[in-house]
Amino acid sequence: MRTLHVAEGTPEAAVLVDGASIAAVGPYEELAAAHPAARVRRWPGILTPGLLNVYGPELLEATYHPDPREADRLGTEPIGGERARAIFRADPSRLGASARRGVQRLFAHGTVAVAGELKARPVLDTVRRAGLAVGRRPDRLPGPASLSPAPLVLLSPLTTGSPARFAIFDVTDRAALVRQGAGTCVATVLGGRMVYRAS
């Protein structure tokens, strides 16, 4: 079944998804009239092509994302630096599970692509299975690694026939997205599948 995604703030940029691809992009009223059988998903905010996070290695290989069952001992926030290195040295098998949780955090921030040279096989496998695109990393990084880095990097505009990969943010416009950050994400779609939806 085809799905038509439309956000309140960007009705002119609705997206019709067919399987893993974008079947059409355009004004909601036109797409709804042309495809009356499509399931409609309405969202607050704006629909965007999703974000490229240039800190793939830092967030997925050099950061430990605690298991919720470890919250009493390690907390719930990502752990970096020497503490993360010590965790991975003590138990290298934790890297793959940490990367999977890290990818879920990226999805929750509207990330659909990462950049940077990933070297660890468990992380490479996680990124591939998750369907994250891999983009080019700039020569100079803008600042510290973050799930909501500044500046935010949006991917190229969505087009018919391209992979169904986008994110919706509960903000009024792109300027508000820059001010409020990627934590405003309410849904992320990869390969036509909803990989994150805010509860």
Side-chain angles (χ1 to χ4, degrees), residues 2-6 28 32 38-42:
R2 290 184 166 188
T3 303
L4 180 56
H5 294 263
V6 59
Y28 168 72
R39 175 178 56 184
V40 176
R41 287 195 181 274
R42 299 179 183 274

Side-chain angles (χ1 to χ4, degrees), residues 47-190:
L47 192 153
T48 76
L51 300 176
L52 166 69
N53 192 307
V54 299
Y55 297 102
E58 290 81 1
L59 292 173
L60 298 177
E61 293 182 335
T63 299
Y64 181 67
H65 300 272
D67 187 301
R69 294 169 293 185
E70 301 173 308
D72 58 340
R73 188 164 53 88
L74 297 178
T76 59
E77 293 303 307
I79 297 169
E82 180 54 37
R83 192 177 177 202
R85 289 190 289 272
I87 291 171
F88 293 137
R89 278 198 303 269
D91 185 358
S93 67
R94 287 176 134 180
L95 181 58
S98 171
R100 289 190 291 274
R101 293 189 291 270
V103 164
Q104 291 304 313
R105 287 180 183 267
L106 288 169
F107 288 160
H109 288 76
T111 297
V112 298
V114 293
E117 185 181 1
L118 298 170
K119 298 178 180 178
R121 175 54 57 186
V123 176
L124 288 164
D125 289 344
T126 295
V127 167
R128 177 181 51 80
R129 284 195 298 265
L132 282 166
V134 178
R136 182 178 177 277
R137 191 170 191 169
D139 295 332
R140 297 183 63 184
L141 297 178
S146 171
L147 292 164
S148 182
L152 296 176
V153 180
L154 283 169
L155 294 185
S156 302
L158 301 172
T159 58
T160 300
S162 64
R165 185 170 57 217
F166 52 89
I168 300 104
F169 298 89
D170 190 7
V171 293
T172 54
D173 53 31
R174 290 193 177 190
L177 173 58
V178 170
R179 290 194 306 271
Q180 297 177 41
T184 55
C185 181
V186 293
T188 302
V189 173
L190 269 182

